[in-house]
Amino acid sequence: MDFLQSMIWRTEGIRPIAPVRWRQFDGLLSAFWEAESQSGARGHYLAGHPHIMVFFNDMSDQFRISNHDGQFDRQYRPMPRAIYVPPGVPVWTGSTGAHRFSHLNLHLHKDRLLRFLSPSIGSSAALAAIRRPVEIYDVEAIQVLAGLMVNELSDWSKHALYAESLVSSIVASLLDIHQPNDGQAAGRLTQAQLNKLSSRVDDLRDDRLTVAEMAQAVGLSESWFSNVFKQTTGKTPLQWQLAKRIDRAKGLLAETDMTIAAVAAQIGFSDQAHFTRVFRQVAGDTPAAWRRFHDAL
């Protein structure tokens, strides 16, 4: 299958510092980039087919990523070491400092990816897997595979089957492929149920719902609710509530002059130190660093 990825992209303040090494295979394109970024650099990327990026540098302190251009200053996260982007999902990036970096890009035709996954997990699970974005920071095994792939781009000494097997291993390591659930029927919360939970949590301000209270609010048993909630949101109920509280904190940090201690108290944290730890865990920065980054945009 001949395939040359078509991507809409634009960058400001980023430039390659070495020739791009690339190679085309059956239904996929692999490219290795070495580049440098200026402080304040930006990028936008949109592809009609899935793509993977594996960074060989820790970018989390210098680069930010978001899927919401208009709200980038509030809805960003630190750049992961490896990313799977589903087809049609836009990505925006921003740099907080000048630095050099390198990464492996893998562009995969959707049909090629389905052809690889379906025999092992079934067509429905394969379709679900390619629609789920993935971002990870622990990439020890994937980075080894990516390094072998970069070596192959420099020296085409082996059959294409070798490089394609490396790509398949990277895909299998990175994608969120769900295991069968012992015959239990899969379930998901409806949008109306999620909206109801969001409204309940937003109204609490200084308090939190227990899992039992959340389940009762949408008319499900506690055990079944916990299962379908994770399948629907990708988070546990506690992680989801923490993320919503931190989003509320971001709004206060961006739109008011409240002290960090006051913001912590406003969203129900008993002390600033605990708030700072949770904020960094969820957002990737301390509240003070997040506010400085927002103010600089």
Side-chain angles (χ1 to χ4, degrees), residues 95-114:
S95 174
T96 60
H99 60 284
R100 293 190 173 191
F101 61 94
S102 60
H103 60 88
L104 175 69
N105 276 12
L106 300 174
H107 301 277
L108 306 105
H109 194 286
K110 181 174 67 173
D111 293 342
R112 170 71 165 79
L113 191 51
L114 289 173

Side-chain angles (χ1 to χ4, degrees), residues 45 49-57 59-60 63-67 77-86 89-93 103-108 132-139 142 146 170-171 173-176:
Y45 312 87
H49 288 276
H51 65 281
I52 290 171
M53 292 180 285
V54 181
F55 289 91
F56 293 93
N57 318 78
M59 305 277 286
S60 59
F63 243 75
R64 303 291 184 264
I65 182 172
S66 176
N67 302 111
R77 52 203 181 273
M79 179 67 77
R81 293 291 298 275
I83 309 168
Y84 167 75
V85 183
V89 174
V91 173
W92 285 267
T93 62
H103 60 88
L104 175 69
N105 276 12
L106 300 174
H107 301 277
L108 306 105
R132 285 193 290 267
V134 179
E135 299 178 0
I136 63 174
Y137 295 86
D138 182 5
V139 294
I142 292 175
I170 292 172
V171 167
S173 299
L174 180 58
L175 262 65
D176 182 15

Side-chain angles (χ1 to χ4, degrees), residues 38-223:
Q38 301 174 2
S39 179
R42 290 178 174 268
H44 168 56
Y45 312 87
L46 176 62
H49 288 276
H51 65 281
I52 290 171
M53 292 180 285
V54 181
F55 289 91
F56 293 93
N57 318 78
D58 184 353
M59 305 277 286
S60 59
D61 288 339
Q62 298 94 4
F63 243 75
R64 303 291 184 264
I65 182 172
S66 176
N67 302 111
H68 305 274
D69 182 34
Q71 301 180 29
F72 186 85
D73 58 339
R74 292 181 58 184
Q75 297 191 18
Y76 71 81
R77 52 203 181 273
M79 179 67 77
R81 293 291 298 275
I83 309 168
Y84 167 75
V85 183
V89 174
V91 173
W92 285 267
T93 62
S95 174
T96 60
H99 60 284
R100 293 190 173 191
F101 61 94
S102 60
H103 60 88
L104 175 69
N105 276 12
L106 300 174
H107 301 277
L108 306 105
H109 194 286
K110 181 174 67 173
D111 293 342
R112 170 71 165 79
L113 191 51
L114 289 173
R115 197 171 72 217
F116 165 65
L117 294 172
S118 294
S120 298
I121 65 174
S123 57
S124 296
L127 278 170
I130 71 170
R131 292 170 179 163
R132 285 193 290 267
V134 179
E135 299 178 0
I136 63 174
Y137 295 86
D138 182 5
V139 294
E140 183 175 353
I142 292 175
Q143 186 167 324
V144 171
L145 295 167
L148 292 172
M149 188 67 192
V150 171
N151 291 340
E152 187 61 18
L153 295 179
S154 304
D155 178 13
W156 297 16
S157 60
K158 297 182 178 65
H159 192 278
L161 180 62
Y162 171 70
E164 292 175 4
S165 68
L166 290 174
V167 173
S168 296
S169 296
I170 292 172
V171 167
S173 299
L174 180 58
L175 262 65
D176 182 15
I177 301 173
H178 290 177
Q179 296 286 348
N181 198 22
D182 298 328
Q184 185 181 33
R188 295 178 68 85
L189 295 175
T190 66
Q191 189 59 53
Q193 288 173 317
L194 283 175
N195 291 343
K196 187 173 184 179
L197 288 172
S198 292
S199 179
R200 287 285 303 275
V201 172
D202 289 343
D203 289 341
L204 290 174
R205 293 174 62 88
D206 293 342
D207 203 355
R208 295 179 294 279
L209 291 173
T210 65
V211 174
E213 289 170 335
M214 294 176 74
Q216 184 179 20
V218 295
L220 296 174
S221 69
E222 184 173 345
S223 59

Side-chain angles (χ1 to χ4, degrees), residues 272-290:
Q272 181 177 335
H274 182 211
F275 168 61
T276 297
R277 287 195 301 272
V278 174
F279 190 100
R280 182 163 191 167
Q281 177 185 350
V282 175
D285 273 336
T286 65
W290 190 93

